[in-house]
Amino acid sequence: MTYDEQLARRVREILADESGLSERKMFGGLGFMLDGNMAVAAGSGGGLMIRADPSDPDGLIDGDLIVPMEMGGREMTGWLLADQRAITSDERLRELVQLGIDRARSFPPK
């Protein structure tokens, strides 16, 4: 299964003015990198993987719509997964992508 092309297009529109933007296919998804640091990724199930500040994840968790990211049965600190139902509105998608932008920009360029 490949990433959701429509979601990738929506994310590209949001990130269009960001400097240092690149895309990388990985794990069946499409990662959006800012100066080499991943901000968000369009997933194969239509969801959005978001890089977030691990010091305040509880404020972002939203039932089963936004959950801590798990890979291989282990929680990935600093990553959230937004179900496709959580990103139907452009405004909400923009808010979540901005979280990823802010976190990715908090790291030095690679």
Side-chain angles (χ1 to χ4, degrees), residues 50-105:
I50 308 150
R51 190 168 211 168
D53 185 345
S55 67
D56 186 29
D58 294 334
L60 300 171
I61 306 298
D62 183 12
D64 64 344
L65 295 180
I66 300 175
V67 298
M69 180 73 190
E70 288 188 13
M71 192 171 274
R74 295 183 342 160
E75 188 173 310
M76 295 177 59
T77 303
W79 291 94
L80 299 172
L81 182 62
D83 184 274
Q84 60 188 11
R85 297 170 295 159
I87 52 176
T88 55
S89 83
D90 289 339
E91 181 179 333
R92 184 63 172 150
L93 178 61
R94 184 172 298 282
E95 290 171 3
L96 293 172
V97 170
Q98 188 62 53
L99 288 172
I101 291 169
D102 293 344
R103 185 64 179 155
R105 293 283 188 216

Side-chain angles (χ1 to χ4, degrees), residues 17-44:
D17 293 333
E18 292 292 328
S19 64
L21 176 64
S22 61
E23 298 178 11
R24 185 176 301 161
K25 292 181 183 179
M26 54 181 69
F27 309 113
L30 182 64
F32 292 88
M33 320 290 276
L34 298 174
D35 294 322
N37 295 300
M38 190 180 325
V40 295
S44 59

